[in-house]
Amino acid sequence: MDGKKEDSYRVLLEGGQGEYAEKKSRFIATLRRCESEEEAAGFVEEMKKKYWDARHNCHAFIIGSRGELTRCSDDGEPSGTAGRPMLEVLTGEELRNAAVVVTRYFGGVLLGTGGLVRAYTQAVKEGLKNCRVGRMRYGCRVRIATDYLWIGKVLYLLGNLKLEPVSSEYGERITLELDVAAEKLGILERELAEATNGQAEFVKEKEIYFVDKEENGD
């Protein structure tokens, strides 16, 4: 692994909702994690059915670890006043695989283009305040197998590197599986060999993105 892929990106660990009011118009932002364009489109339709009586249900979403796919819609608002500002909030927060729908209940007062941009932008920010956001890290699922003689040193090494096994199996040998960020792989492999005199088995099972528990404070 040489780090060519996007090293990390932010995602919604838990979606949420927030509201913003401007001159009697209500802007309700609903955010959800979506892993595909189909999932995001389904979410948009779900919100349109839920808020069928609203004047507008504008949306934006960004899909892919590098934000390869983006879509946004003003849903009848003046061009560029809703969907694009909403999308810019998502990209500004480095979010990926995220969708947002902002529902507007018209209050009878026109806001003008600047007012609309401000209102839709602020609504998304209010929604994000009620979301749980975390960082996904690019790395590898690793399997370590060792004899009981070495497990103390192995666990000590993992603790120093702030790595925590996602599974442990205690049989004739001890087998640990853990998710390791790309930049730590070489360090772990080298120090594991040194700590166990080369007696521990080290296998890179697959490349993955995983939730960075250290950064997310979990």
Side-chain angles (χ1 to χ4, degrees), residues 98-149:
V100 58
V101 175
V102 174
T103 301
R104 182 190 182 187
Y105 284 96
F106 185 55
V109 179
L110 297 176
L111 303 183
T113 55
L116 287 171
V117 170
R118 181 174 61 252
Y120 279 100
T121 297
Q122 192 59 40
V124 179
K125 291 180 178 180
E126 291 300 321
L128 279 170
K129 290 178 182 179
N130 298 313
C131 294
R132 184 164 167 252
V133 178
R135 186 169 292 279
M136 299 294 288
R137 185 73 62 181
Y138 172 58
C140 190
R141 173 65 58 88
V142 169
R143 185 178 76 250
I144 295 174
T146 183
D147 295 326
Y148 284 81
L149 174 65

Side-chain angles (χ1 to χ4, degrees), residues 6 20 29 44 46 52 79 90 101 144 160 169 177 182 200:
E6 189 76 22
Y20 178 74
V44 172
E46 178 187 332
W52 59 270
S79 178
L90 299 182
V101 175
I144 295 174
N160 281 346
E169 182 179 330
E177 285 194 326

Side-chain angles (χ1 to χ4, degrees), residues 15-140:
Q17 190 172 80
E19 187 170 331
Y20 178 74
E22 180 78 18
K23 295 181 180 178
K24 299 183 180 180
S25 278
R26 292 175 61 207
F27 297 83
I28 305 167
T30 307
L31 293 103
R32 185 178 296 178
R33 181 172 173 175
C34 297
E35 302 290 336
S36 68
E37 183 176 10
E38 292 74 21
E39 191 176 350
F43 165 60
V44 172
E45 288 306 310
E46 178 187 332
M47 291 298 100
K48 286 184 175 181
K49 289 179 181 178
K50 179 177 180 180
Y51 296 109
W52 59 270
D53 58 339
R55 176 72 69 90
H56 305 281
N57 282 288
C58 307
H59 72 263
F61 57 82
I62 181 167
I63 304 296
S65 61
R66 298 182 182 180
E68 297 93 332
L69 176 66
T70 61
R71 295 283 187 272
C72 62
S73 169
D74 297 310
D75 193 36
E77 293 282 30
S79 178
T81 61
R84 177 60 57 180
M86 292 162 57
L87 182 61
E88 287 176 354
V89 176
L90 299 182
T91 56
E93 292 290 330
E94 299 179 39
L95 284 168
R96 302 291 185 268
N97 296 337
V100 58
V101 175
V102 174
T103 301
R104 182 190 182 187
Y105 284 96
F106 185 55
V109 179
L110 297 176
L111 303 183
T113 55
L116 287 171
V117 170
R118 181 174 61 252
Y120 279 100
T121 297
Q122 192 59 40
V124 179
K125 291 180 178 180
E126 291 300 321
L128 279 170
K129 290 178 182 179
N130 298 313
C131 294
R132 184 164 167 252
V133 178
R135 186 169 292 279
M136 299 294 288
R137 185 73 62 181
Y138 172 58
C140 190

Side-chain angles (χ1 to χ4, degrees), residues 170-184:
Y170 288 76
E172 291 186 6
R173 301 187 84 200
I174 301 170
T175 302
L176 308 174
E177 285 194 326
L178 54 155
D179 298 331
V180 184
E183 64 270 19
K184 287 186 178 181

